[in-house]
Amino acid sequence: MLRYILSFLRIIATKMLQLLSSRKHLIENVLRIYIKTTSGSTLSIEIDPKYDIKQIKNLVASKIGAQPEELKIIFAGKELGDNIIIEECDLGQQSILHAVKIKRNVPTDQSSSKMKPLCEILDDEMFSSNITNSRSNSFSTDNEVINISNSVMLENSTIRSKKIHFYVYCPTCKDLKQGKLRVRCHFCKSGAFTVHADPQNWIHVLEPKQITGTCENNPELCKDILQNKEPTFAEFYFKCSEHISLGETDQAVPLDLIRPNLKQIQCMACLDTSDTIFAFPCPDDHVMCLDCFKQYCLTKLTERQFWQHPEYGYTLACPTGCPDSFIKEIHHFRLLDDENYNRYHHFAAEEFVLQSNGLLCPQPGCGMGILAEPECTRISCQNCKYVFCRHCRQGFHIGECDVVENNDTAGQNFSCESDMNYNNGNSGELASRTTIKIMTKPCPSCKTPTERDGGCMHMICTRAGCKFHWCWVCQTEWTTECMGDHWFG
Amino acid sequence: MANIAAQRIKREFKEVIKSEEVAKCAIKLELVDNNYTELKGEIAGPPDTPYEGGNFVLEIKVPETYPFNPPKVRFITKIWHPNISSVTGAICLDILKDQWAAAMTLRTVLLSLQALLSAAEPDDPQDAVVARQYKENLDMFKLTARHWTNAYAGGPSVNSECDDKIKRLVDMGIEEHQARVALSSYNWDLERATEQLFS
């Protein structure tokens, strides 16, 4: 009897679940979007993704008291033609469309590719070349602006059908995600903006003032600001495709070097061919799969082989040593996990201090960056109050530094990888400090503790920013005397 | 993650096995363990060098961070060469140090080492004694290198004069390799070698 009741209950439960899930399915098919009008009001409407723009116009027109023919619908820098289906437009939940009232009723050519959504026009092919390769061109033609006469390109692009893939780091999802390209006015930041030409490559998208357009929000205002001295420019930005838009300020960082593997190039590290790759900014098409790229970053981070680039920051170059192949967008290192991304920041800050001729407090667990006058030998840490000698990093003393190994454990152990694991009061700390003291000698130039695990006495500082050649025996610069005298000890 | 190294070595291993150099017996590669972290390489001494006819065995250790860091390679077969330590077999070759690039492979390493045997770089030596001999007395260097190739790498060229001198030291109770090192270092001057060994 009990079993009967149970099975009955189970049937009811499954029925209810089915009912629920079918209803959920229905809800999922409704797209809630916002329509911004030039008067500044925002309408919230629920639509079926199968609707076309004509239907949207009808819907909006009735709500704002206008004729559907008077409206144009703008999305991502493009006016959308009447026959465009919402589904094709790369819209997400709570995306914003812009409705603009046309002053003079000029009949528009609805068949033109100009009326297609941006996502239908762009394809991966256009964005597969490296920004750095072509950058030199872009600088030389700085004032040359893509304008409407560039329509040949537009015609060509209609033939292609493959959808574009952009990758972004999304600060909301805290992960690598697919991104969507959006357009707004460079000056008033309004999305009611149409481009005169479509972007054709990464430079158009990433560099400012590459493509002109018309601001529909308040054309007079934008013209006034500029006093017609230069045209109105489009500004491109990215949104994450994978979460519901949190409004106009919800942006994602484009990771332009992560791309679909169109040419099916092998990963230079594991030799696999994967669908998504990291393409180094070098002319030789050196690519890595994302797993190997993460491993590459981790390896170089642990070995302190990142470079402090004067313009880009703490970064890496192509591992085959291609010239000028530094990674410009350092958010690519967001592919590291949180712990290592924090280490990245930590090391970058240290490297910055060292390159500015600063010092790092040698006290374990401190590592505070200190900028002191070059002639000042008595260095005092503001953070932990430790007072030490600039030259030997021991507690401050008067007179010559004691370079002979001693048992004073208040020694130097900064900028070693293991210092991330230090905890104040940890009993292992003293042991680590002692180990570092016994096993290492400081680089005579930058004082980085260095371990010699075999080979000759000729040391090259492992810190990428230093690379000082020194002698393990003399603890001074490597000379031919060292070579003749005690090369192998 | 760490198996990027293993996966890569697996592929490189196949590449070497199929390569024309293996077919010509110029290089050889064997696995030492089955997790691809240690391998044994072999290169043939290049023709028209004192190493001709010899086979030189290499120890290849693959770090976990391979291919972002170079493999650790040293000669197991004792060799007389300015860029290779006659004591430890350590190699001074830029591509095994800071000039390593992730696109290089075990095959390129083996071929580069073979090239190093053909063209020494005495200005960037690993073995100061050998380098000095190479620069000051090239004929003596060639003779010594040829003798070592015969003694350790199975080279064909027998130099009975060298063998005799070694035998005399061995008869005095000196270990054979030690005797060879002393004689080689003193340009086969038996008197000076003896003096150094017994001082």
Side-chain angles (χ1 to χ4, degrees):
Chain A
M1 188 61 185
L2 187 69
R3 194 175 296 163
Y4 179 75
I5 292 174
L6 273 177
S7 71
F8 180 71
L9 281 174
R10 191 174 303 138
I11 289 167
I12 290 186
T14 22
K15 280 265 164 69
M16 280 172 70
L17 271 176
Q18 277 169 358
L19 211 72
L20 269 175
S21 61
S22 69
R23 182 175 297 168
K24 201 175 160 203
H25 190 68
L26 269 177
I27 292 167
E28 262 177 1
N29 254 338
V30 172
L31 198 57
R32 171 178 289 277
I33 59 167
Y34 296 111
I35 308 281
K36 263 198 164 180
T37 63
T38 31
S39 62
S41 61
T42 304
L43 303 171
S44 167
I45 56 169
E46 282 185 355
I47 55 163
D48 187 317
K50 299 264 186 265
Y51 278 13
D52 62 17
I53 294 301
K54 182 86 188 154
Q55 280 167 294
I56 302 286
K57 281 183 182 173
N58 289 336
L59 216 94
V60 176
S62 63
K63 291 199 178 186
I64 61 170
Q67 291 301 310
E69 300 79 49
E70 288 181 307
L71 290 178
K72 56 180 176 182
I73 300 289
I74 297 171
F75 179 65
K78 303 290 287 184
E79 182 188 347
L80 301 178
D82 281 354
N83 53 345
I84 302 288
I85 311 290
I86 288 295
E87 257 182 343
E88 299 165 358
C89 299
D90 193 22
L91 276 174
Q93 288 287 350
Q94 302 184 11
S95 283
I96 298 170
L97 293 182
H98 294 267
V100 175
K101 246 178 151 175
I102 314 164
K103 303 240 163 65
R104 275 168 298 149
N105 206 349
V106 187
T108 44
D109 178 12
Q110 291 282 333
S111 64
S112 139
S113 67
K114 265 174 69 195
M115 309 294 278
K116 293 191 91 180
L118 200 56
C119 66
E120 294 277 303
I121 294 165
L122 305 183
D123 72 24
D124 288 330
E125 199 81 42
M126 303 155 125
F127 287 81
S128 63
S129 69
N130 282 321
I131 179 166
T132 32
N133 298 344
S134 29
R135 184 177 292 132
S136 49
N137 300 339
S138 101
F139 279 147
S140 60
T141 59
D142 220 5
N143 296 321
E144 192 184 300
V145 166
I146 308 285
N147 55 42
I148 201 153
S149 65
N150 221 338
S151 54
V152 190
M153 296 296 271
L154 293 171
E155 239 71 81
N156 282 342
S157 56
T158 55
I159 307 161
R160 301 176 183 132
S161 62
K162 249 189 290 169
K163 272 214 167 175
I164 181 122
H165 295 81
F166 288 116
Y167 294 90
V168 294
Y169 173 75
C170 172
T172 309
C173 307
K174 297 207 182 304
D175 207 354
L176 171 73
K177 296 286 178 193
Q178 294 239 7
K180 305 182 282 193
L181 181 65
R182 296 290 182 258
V183 185
R184 63 188 168 205
C185 173
H186 178 79
F187 304 100
C188 74
K189 310 291 176 199
S190 162
F193 187 93
T194 49
V195 288
H196 291 158
D198 300 319
Q200 303 292 325
N201 54 42
W202 276 112
I203 295 171
H204 294 161
V205 170
L206 295 179
E207 307 274 338
K209 297 191 179 179
Q210 296 287 321
I211 289 187
T212 56
T214 309
C215 181
E216 312 272 0
N217 176 39
N218 199 340
E220 277 67 41
L221 175 78
C222 287
K223 264 184 198 157
D224 274 356
I225 293 172
L226 294 162
Q227 294 166 338
N228 283 329
K229 275 186 185 154
E230 57 178 1
T232 330
F233 283 101
E235 181 175 283
F236 294 90
Y237 66 103
F238 287 84
K239 291 183 95 81
C240 170
S241 300
E242 287 169 53
H243 70 263
I244 294 175
S245 172
L246 305 172
E248 280 171 292
T249 52
D250 176 24
Q251 289 188 37
V253 192
L255 302 180
D256 58 299
L257 299 176
I258 298 175
R259 297 170 191 170
N261 194 357
L262 295 183
K263 292 192 211 158
Q264 295 289 297
I265 308 172
Q266 267 189 344
C267 164
M268 70 161 89
C270 69
L271 310 177
D272 270 344
T273 309
S274 51
D275 294 339
T276 312
I277 46 164
F278 182 90
F280 283 93
C282 60
D284 296 337
D285 275 340
H286 288 134
V287 310
M288 267 190 210
C289 67
L290 297 186
D291 276 346
C292 285
F293 177 68
K294 287 179 205 170
Q295 184 67 29
Y296 173 58
C297 295
L298 190 59
T299 306
K300 293 293 153 186
L301 183 69
T302 306
E303 292 168 4
R304 297 239 173 192
Q305 296 293 308
F306 275 62
W307 273 91
Q308 186 70 43
H309 189 281
E311 218 181 303
Y312 309 159
Y314 202 50
T315 189
L316 282 176
C318 171
T320 45
C322 295
D324 300 326
S325 59
F326 283 104
I327 297 167
K328 187 178 180 186
E329 176 52 78
I330 57 172
H331 280 91
H332 284 104
F333 303 122
R334 272 285 185 182
L335 291 191
L336 289 164
D337 58 35
D338 279 349
E339 187 193 333
N340 284 302
Y341 190 68
N342 286 338
R343 274 175 89 202
Y344 164 81
H345 269 304
H346 188 94
F347 288 4
E350 286 189 357
E351 193 58 43
F352 180 79
V353 170
L354 291 175
Q355 296 213 348
S356 319
N357 289 320
L359 300 101
L360 301 170
C361 173
Q363 279 297 76
C366 181
M368 182 78 174
I370 305 164
L371 294 170
E373 294 296 318
E375 64 273 11
C376 176
T377 55
R378 183 184 182 277
I379 311 291
S380 158
C381 174
Q382 298 293 308
N383 185 43
C384 72
K385 312 292 175 214
Y386 180 55
V387 181
F388 61 98
C389 163
R390 171 189 283 275
H391 302 297
C392 67
R393 311 286 157 103
Q394 308 285 345
F396 181 70
H397 56 86
I398 294 170
E400 296 271 299
C401 297
D402 185 9
V403 286
V404 192
E405 313 232 335
N406 57 40
N407 293 324
D408 173 16
T409 46
Q412 42 199 306
N413 49 6
F414 76 100
S415 78
C416 174
E417 282 83 70
S418 57
D419 67 3
M420 288 303 289
N421 303 325
Y422 283 160
N423 281 317
N424 274 332
N426 182 345
S427 62
E429 190 186 294
L430 187 69
S432 320
R433 270 197 278 167
T434 316
T435 310
I436 290 169
K437 183 119 189 116
I438 296 168
M439 304 289 290
T440 73
K441 290 183 183 179
C443 161
S445 174
C446 74
K447 309 281 188 269
T448 298
T450 311
E451 184 188 354
R452 178 176 161 267
D453 69 347
C456 59
M457 300 298 164
H458 182 182
M459 310 296 291
I460 301 170
C461 184
T462 51
R463 221 190 91 229
C466 178
K467 297 262 178 218
F468 187 68
H469 288 247
W470 58 285
C471 171
W472 182 258
V473 178
C474 311
Q475 293 192 49
T476 50
E477 191 169 1
W478 182 251
T479 61
T480 44
E481 275 93 86
C482 302
M483 205 184 275
D485 221 38
H486 46 257
W487 199 343
F488 289 94
Chain B
M1 291 294 261
N3 53 22
I4 291 174
Q7 193 184 344
R8 163 87 176 235
I9 292 291
K10 221 181 268 182
R11 299 219 180 177
E12 287 188 27
F13 184 69
K14 279 188 199 148
E15 180 204 37
V16 173
I17 298 304
K18 286 185 197 152
S19 68
E20 53 181 291
E21 293 86 12
V22 165
K24 285 190 287 185
C25 300
I27 60 172
K28 218 161 116 181
L29 193 61
E30 282 169 28
L31 291 171
V32 174
D33 62 3
N34 47 16
N35 45 11
Y36 293 89
T37 55
E38 195 171 335
L39 297 98
K40 200 176 99 176
E42 210 175 295
I43 53 176
D48 305 320
T49 68
Y51 311 103
E52 183 170 6
N55 275 311
F56 298 88
V57 179
L58 300 151
E59 174 192 271
I60 303 169
K61 288 189 173 166
V62 181
E64 241 180 70
T65 51
Y66 188 82
F68 307 119
N69 280 325
K72 288 187 166 36
V73 186
R74 75 179 183 95
F75 276 81
I76 294 181
T77 306
K78 293 194 172 3
I79 183 166
W80 192 253
H81 187 285
N83 303 103
I84 301 158
S85 165
S86 59
V87 185
T88 62
I91 304 163
C92 189
L93 184 62
D94 55 357
I95 62 153
L96 292 176
K97 294 176 182 167
D98 53 333
Q99 292 302 305
W100 170 258
M104 292 177 185
T105 66
L106 294 181
R107 180 173 160 268
T108 51
V109 167
L110 291 176
L111 295 177
S112 304
L113 287 174
Q114 209 170 27
L116 185 69
L117 295 191
S118 312
E121 291 166 35
D123 291 326
D124 186 19
Q126 177 78 2
D127 197 307
V129 178
V130 185
R132 198 182 311 128
Q133 191 181 62
Y134 184 96
K135 285 175 124 174
E136 289 168 5
N137 194 341
L138 189 60
D139 286 338
M140 186 60 75
F141 162 79
K142 283 183 180 165
L143 177 148
T144 312
R146 209 174 292 124
H147 168 74
W148 280 54
T149 306
N150 169 248
Y152 298 113
S157 154
V158 183
N159 186 323
S160 49
E161 200 185 323
C162 295
D163 289 341
D164 285 348
K165 286 180 181 167
I166 290 169
K167 191 166 180 306
R168 284 182 61 183
L169 285 174
V170 171
D171 288 344
M172 288 184 236
I174 305 290
E175 193 268 322
E176 186 193 316
H177 177 65
Q178 211 185 342
R180 184 171 289 115
V181 171
L183 284 163
S184 303
S185 307
Y186 289 100
N187 294 340
W188 299 94
D189 182 331
L190 187 58
E191 209 168 293
R192 284 181 62 201
T194 316
E195 196 179 298
Q196 186 252 328
L197 283 167
F198 288 97
S199 66

